[in-house]
Amino acid sequence: MDSTEPIPAGLSPAVAAAETLVEVRRGQTLELTVSDLAYGGKALAKVDGFVLFVENALPGDRVLATVTRRRRQYAEARAVEILASTPFRVPAPCSHVPICGGCRFQDFDYSEQLRHKQRQVEACLAHLGGLPVAARSVLPAPKLFHYRNKMEYSFGRDERARLTLGLHRRGLYDRPFDLDRCHIATPVSSEIVAFVRDFAVREALPPYDLRNHTGLLRFLVVREGMRTGQVMVNIVASGTHPALDRLAVALRGAFPAVASVILNLTRRKAQVALGEEEHVLAGQPTILERLGGLTFEISSNSFFQTNTEQADRLLDSALEALALTGTERVLDVYAGTGTFTLPIATRSAEAIGIESSEIAVRDAERNAERNGIANARFWKGEAMEVLRDRFDSGPRDASSGRPEIHAVLVDPPRAGLHPGVVSRLIRLGAPRLVYISCNPGTLGRDLALLCESRFALEWIQPVDMFPHTPHIECVAALRAR
Ligand SMILES: C[S@@+](CC[C@H](N)C(=O)[O-])C[C@H]1O[C@@H](n2cnc3c(N)ncnc32)[C@H](O)[C@@H]1O
């Protein structure tokens, strides 16, 4: 076996090591029984221990599938016929499901989605963290549809070179299809997509072309305060155009909920819906949302939890794990706009957020002020550098040489914690650590390091923030040994 070939996400080293006894070739059509969902949402079948990831199939299906790609340790296949369906297949309400890269599991019974997510979390902890523990039952989402408070739509062209605006086709990142109605976005979000598309076509505004880096319109990001009703429309473009001012006025006229229309200018080639320059085209520069009993101001480029209702559950689990009594000094690393820092501050002596985005820190400070919270502060910078600069000399206090920290919360991006951050968190000497993660793979890896030396895992609570997608969020409660 070629040890340099990467093991795909969801394939445990033990499975990957199984040598195939059968000949699996590209182009071949096989009858397969889909046995499982790998982490990342790919359906998985095995032939004599050899793993095939199967597109367009669900666990429990028996399918005819054509092999599309053959690697040394696994193959990829696409189901061309369902010979016998899983009893858990349900009708999907959305007509885009067969092609959309967003919802993979709208046609899979929700309780089965949750069962698989729980098992995947446990598998990641066992295989990548060496922690064979049972996770708590996944906290289900109360709303299975229209739950997202933010959607990113892409501009492109179809095969007849006409402007399209919508979501990506599964597996393709340069061919968005024209979206009619998205069932996980809010109804107004889909209506705004149709409005902006019609406007762009009427005004002959060109979509950005990824290959030769020409054109104007790149992304449309629609954000909605689910508990305030305020909507932000954010147009990400490669330049300005007088028609965009008219679009902003027209949007505010057609949709009274639109409180803010922003233009983000980007000259980067990378396909990310962020701008280097932000202009308010109409209305306010931010919108408001309520979470954890507080009011948050959100800018176009700041991170904010995408499912407001489930973010409250995430916060409840984090607070349970922190078990604050009101006297603690708490560190919130990767603090964003203060979603967790501020509710923590209302239950502790002091909360300190560390965050690298200047805009997010500015929003967080404004949010503290707006909510009358005086015992929260935010340190802008890279987590590793801030931890080094502020804490490397170890625990102090003894009234009060500072900076003794009683509890730490971390909520890093998908890549998880840099090993340098892990070792600094260990050296901080806090008795309690709470890890919020959107990636069970990197969570397993990081928990292995944290639990190797100082911490013990008390419990892990998966929270389903994104029904019908492979994503799963977890709160892990750790205590110093
Ligand atoms: C998953 S978000 C969590 C934000 C916040 N806890 C919340 O729930 O709204 C991760 C945050 O980490 C920030 N971030 C990313 N890399 C960072 C780094 N190296 N140091 C500090 N913050 C970072 C991002 O800007 C983002 O706001």
Side-chain angles (χ1 to χ4, degrees):
M1 186 183 301
D2 178 359
S3 61
T4 59
E5 191 168 305
I7 295 170
L11 193 56
S12 78
V15 172
E19 291 289 356
T20 178
L21 300 175
V22 289
E23 196 51 48
V24 173
R25 292 183 314 278
R26 188 159 175 260
Q28 196 179 18
T29 298
L30 298 168
E31 186 175 325
L32 300 172
T33 299
V34 178
S35 54
D36 210 347
L37 272 186
Y39 166 61
K42 290 186 177 176
L44 187 147
K46 285 184 198 168
V47 178
D48 283 348
F50 183 75
V51 168
L52 292 107
F53 293 111
V54 192
E55 272 285 326
N56 298 340
L58 293 172
D61 282 345
R62 201 155 52 76
V63 297
L64 274 185
T66 304
V67 178
T68 51
R69 197 170 183 213
R70 170 67 159 91
R71 305 294 284 246
R72 199 172 261 267
Q73 296 166 328
Y74 65 96
E76 291 172 15
R78 180 172 302 116
V80 288
E81 188 183 341
I82 296 174
L83 300 172
S85 170
T86 165
F88 297 110
R89 183 172 266 105
V90 296
C94 177
S95 62
H96 300 302
V97 160
I99 58 161
C100 184
C103 291
R104 289 241 189 114
F105 304 122
Q106 260 193 36
D107 57 353
F108 198 30
D109 179 76
Y110 186 55
S111 53
E112 278 297 288
Q113 293 182 33
L114 295 179
R115 195 174 67 75
H116 280 278
K117 286 185 179 186
Q118 167 136 8
R119 217 190 29 69
Q120 284 164 9
V121 169
E122 289 169 351
C124 283
L125 292 189
H127 293 144
L128 302 166
L131 298 164
V133 293
R136 289 179 172 181
S137 302
V138 181
L139 288 179
K143 266 167 102 172
L144 299 191
F145 296 100
H146 308 300
Y147 59 79
R148 283 191 69 100
N149 62 25
K150 179 188 177 193
M151 288 294 292
E152 264 178 38
Y153 306 101
S154 299
F155 290 92
R157 286 193 193 275
D158 65 13
E159 39 301 317
R160 289 156 70 186
R162 288 180 310 199
L163 178 138
T164 55
L165 174 58
L167 296 168
H168 290 292
R169 281 168 206 275
R170 198 169 295 167
L172 296 175
Y173 294 94
D174 60 347
R175 275 289 164 94
F177 63 88
D178 266 343
L179 182 84
D180 172 29
R181 181 161 292 274
C182 172
H183 281 70
I184 59 171
T186 59
V188 74
S189 188
S190 299
E191 286 165 26
I192 288 171
V193 171
F195 187 92
V196 172
R197 186 194 300 124
D198 287 351
F199 184 94
V201 169
R202 226 176 21 249
E203 298 276 338
L205 298 176
Y208 184 76
D209 188 319
L210 255 182
R211 273 156 301 216
N212 51 27
H213 303 289
T214 56
L216 180 72
L217 300 174
R218 300 191 65 163
F219 300 96
L220 172 74
V221 186
V222 182
R223 262 184 153 162
E224 188 169 350
M226 304 296 253
R227 292 165 175 170
T228 61
Q230 294 188 351
V231 173
M232 172 184 278
V233 179
N234 174 17
I235 299 153
V236 183
S238 62
T240 54
H241 193 290
L244 295 179
D245 292 300
R246 293 200 300 279
L247 171 60
V249 173
L251 274 166
R252 297 254 293 156
F255 300 95
V258 173
S260 167
V261 186
I262 306 286
L263 170 64
N264 261 281
L265 292 179
T266 179
R267 290 182 175 86
R268 287 197 206 112
K269 291 187 174 167
Q271 276 293 75
V272 281
L274 293 173
E276 296 92 73
E277 237 181 81
E278 185 183 311
H279 301 271
V280 180
L281 293 180
Q284 315 151 187
T286 56
I287 55 165
L288 298 178
E289 176 62 308
R290 277 197 285 277
L291 205 152
L294 303 175
T295 303
F296 289 85
E297 217 174 293
I298 311 165
S299 305
S300 66
N301 287 327
S302 302
F303 177 90
F304 193 79
Q305 294 288 343
T306 318
N307 181 336
T308 307
E309 276 195 62
Q310 285 300 75
D312 262 341
R313 290 187 167 73
L314 211 56
L315 171 64
D316 289 345
S317 294
L319 291 173
E320 179 195 343
L322 287 168
L324 300 170
T325 61
T327 58
E328 296 85 354
R329 193 160 183 248
V330 185
L331 199 59
D332 176 13
V333 190
Y334 310 95
T337 52
T339 323
F340 299 123
T341 329
L342 298 182
I344 288 170
T346 63
R347 294 161 174 86
S348 62
E350 185 181 20
I352 302 163
I354 299 177
E355 166 61 48
S356 61
S357 154
E358 192 166 338
I359 299 169
V361 168
R362 203 184 56 207
D363 284 358
E365 286 169 346
R366 248 199 327 246
N367 287 331
E369 204 176 312
R370 171 178 283 280
N371 290 285
I373 295 172
N375 62 337
R377 56 190 153 129
F378 295 89
W379 292 338
K380 191 215 150 300
E382 293 292 316
M384 185 136 77
E385 288 164 22
V386 177
L387 290 171
R388 182 195 60 209
D389 296 345
R390 303 268 184 168
F391 297 103
D392 249 13
S393 48
R396 275 170 265 165
D397 197 352
S399 228
S400 163
R402 297 233 130 156
E404 184 156 14
I405 295 294
H406 304 100
V408 182
L409 181 136
V410 293
D411 182 13
R414 289 187 67 73
L417 302 175
H418 185 281
V421 171
V422 172
S423 56
R424 288 196 159 81
L425 291 174
I426 289 169
R427 254 183 285 153
L428 265 180
R432 227 168 290 139
L433 189 142
V434 180
Y435 191 144
I436 299 184
S437 164
C438 56
N439 182 342
T442 53
L443 174 68
R445 179 202 67 195
D446 295 344
L447 289 184
L449 291 176
L450 289 162
C451 294
E452 197 176 80
S453 53
R454 191 181 148 74
F455 290 99
L457 178 65
E458 285 197 316
W459 48 259
I460 180 150
Q461 175 66 71
V463 182
D464 190 26
M465 309 284 286
F466 304 110
H468 316 305
T469 77
H471 300 291
I472 181 77
E473 199 93 5
C474 290
V475 179
L478 294 102
R479 218 170 242 284
R481 283 191 258 123

